[in-house]
Amino acid sequence: MKKIRSIIAVITVAAIAAAMCMSLTSCGSKKEVYNVGICQLVQHEALDAATQGFQDALKKTLGEDKVVFDVQNASNDSAMCSTIVNSFVSKKVDLIMANATPALQAAYNATSTIPILGTSVTEYGVALNIDNFSGTVGGNVSGTSDLAPLTEQADMILELFPDAKKVGLLYCSAEPNSEYQVKVVEEYLAEKNITCTRYSFADSNDIAAVTTKAASDSDVIYVPTDNTAASCVETIGNIVRESKTPVITGESGICAGCGVATLSIDYYDLGYKTGEMAAKVLQGEEKISDMPIEYADASKQYNPTICEELGITPPEGYEPLD
């Protein structure tokens, strides 16, 4: 009888060990295919590039056949961002990429469990109402920022237009990160005895009227990294080029349509960096709660066409826009 009990005990231990081994193998294995939802606020050059970079990085890291993307565009409608991310939550996607601030805010409010990576977001503390933001959101959120050095952008105004006395700040009042950028530039230029006036538009419907007023009143216009401005850059460009009012912009896509110069990041590279972060999260290499917000390097660029129209020769250190 003792011998039978010993045999049973050995079999039981072996069965438990085998079950534990299978459990550990299952937990440690990587998924066959990852499902990733992408919510992009609006279609324009910068955000399109970020989405493409994100997809390229994940496909390169995980494999072409290892990730399925559900790419949705909200047509510059914050409410649509919520609808899109809620659909991702219902589908139980493995990760959400939120391209631009309203998309990030919608995802942040929709789930506390699915990993969320933002990109093309200027200031995460402002976007998510985090006091004394330390650089790491925590929880299920991280991402990349498109914030270029704002005081250096303001210095470009002084460098290229030393005689300018009146600077118009043209931006969408519905975008909190635009408000943040304008505030920083406004305060910096005020210390240099430059008069700054805000010209804000609520949406694309009044952008032409507001831009016309800004162009009439200003020596130079500053347009921050602003999604509504980017989606209406042709309208802005037509007005400022007709009035011959120079524009300094927060990013290269806007500069290509209406600006003289910009200190801008590369949005494809920013999206690519976000994709690399996503791969680490999906494969369990890093906890998203521990991942600080990452930034891209900025470079000075000028628009050859508009500079020629205005008779402006950029100093050394400026590269022509592609």
Side-chain angles (χ1 to χ4, degrees):
M1 179 66 90
K2 287 183 178 179
K3 186 174 182 181
I4 293 174
R5 287 178 179 173
S6 298
I7 293 171
I8 292 172
V10 170
I11 293 172
T12 302
V13 170
I16 292 173
M20 290 178 66
C21 183
M22 289 177 65
S23 175
L24 288 172
T25 302
S26 175
C27 292
S29 64
K30 297 174 182 177
K31 293 187 65 172
E32 288 291 325
V33 177
Y34 297 97
N35 292 292
V36 175
I38 298 176
C39 179
Q40 181 174 318
L41 173 63
V42 65
Q43 185 174 11
H44 65 68
E45 183 179 338
L47 299 191
D48 291 349
T51 291
Q52 189 62 57
F54 176 80
Q55 292 176 288
D56 288 351
L58 266 183
K59 287 187 289 187
K60 181 178 180 180
T61 306
L62 302 180
E64 290 276 349
D65 58 343
K66 298 296 185 182
V67 57
V68 174
F69 298 103
D70 185 354
V71 184
Q72 301 288 333
N73 193 295
S75 300
N76 210 21
D77 184 342
S78 297
M80 182 58 70
C81 286
S82 296
T83 301
I84 291 169
V85 296
N86 283 327
S87 74
F88 292 159
V89 174
S90 297
K91 294 174 184 176
K92 298 181 179 179
V93 299
D94 297 302
L95 183 140
I96 296 172
M97 192 276 261
N99 194 347
T101 298
L104 174 68
Q105 292 169 329
Y108 180 76
N109 292 325
T111 178
S112 60
T113 55
I114 297 174
I116 299 166
L117 286 172
T119 194
S120 312
V121 176
T122 303
E123 173 53 57
Y124 282 73
V126 172
L128 302 178
N129 294 315
I130 302 173
D131 293 331
N132 302 315
F133 181 59
S134 64
T136 302
V137 176
N140 64 320
V141 179
S142 188
T144 57
S145 169
D146 61 1
L147 181 64
L150 296 172
T151 56
E152 292 182 30
Q153 289 181 354
D155 280 332
M156 291 172 66
I157 297 173
L158 304 176
E159 180 180 43
L160 293 170
F161 309 103
D163 297 328
K165 300 298 181 185
K166 297 181 294 182
V167 174
L169 307 171
L170 181 67
Y171 67 103
C172 180
S173 58
E175 298 191 31
N177 277 312
S178 296
E179 289 269 7
Y180 170 77
Q181 294 170 82
V182 163
K183 182 175 182 292
V184 172
V185 170
E186 183 178 44
E187 291 176 351
Y188 182 79
L189 290 177
E191 294 176 356
K192 309 290 185 182
N193 297 317
I194 302 296
T195 300
C196 294
T197 303
R198 296 191 180 197
Y199 296 90
S200 63
F201 44 88
D203 53 40
S204 59
N205 293 322
D206 59 347
I207 195 167
V210 174
T211 302
T212 299
K213 177 65 173 171
S216 174
D217 295 348
S218 311
D219 298 323
V220 183
I221 291 175
Y222 171 73
V223 180
T225 302
D226 183 291
N227 290 298
T228 306
S231 64
C232 299
V233 70
E234 184 176 354
T235 299
I236 297 172
N238 289 338
I239 294 168
V240 298
R241 292 173 78 169
E242 177 67 25
S243 66
K244 298 191 181 300
T245 307
V247 177
I248 299 296
T249 74
E251 59 97 357
S252 58
I254 299 177
C255 187
C258 70
V260 167
T262 182
L263 178 65
S264 178
I265 58 130
D266 185 308
Y267 277 82
Y268 179 87
D269 291 347
L270 190 72
Y272 199 94
K273 186 185 294 285
T274 314
E276 291 177 326
M277 294 173 72
K280 293 176 183 177
V281 171
L282 290 171
Q283 296 182 109
E285 295 175 4
E286 289 191 27
K287 292 182 179 179
I288 193 168
S289 58
D290 297 334
M291 300 175 83
I293 301 304
E294 296 194 23
Y295 297 81
D297 295 330
S299 61
K300 288 183 175 181
Q301 299 171 295
Y302 72 94
N303 185 327
T305 302
I306 295 182
C307 281
E308 184 177 354
E309 289 177 7
L310 298 178
I312 296 170
T313 302
E316 291 186 9
Y318 288 74
E319 297 294 329
L321 287 170
D322 294 334

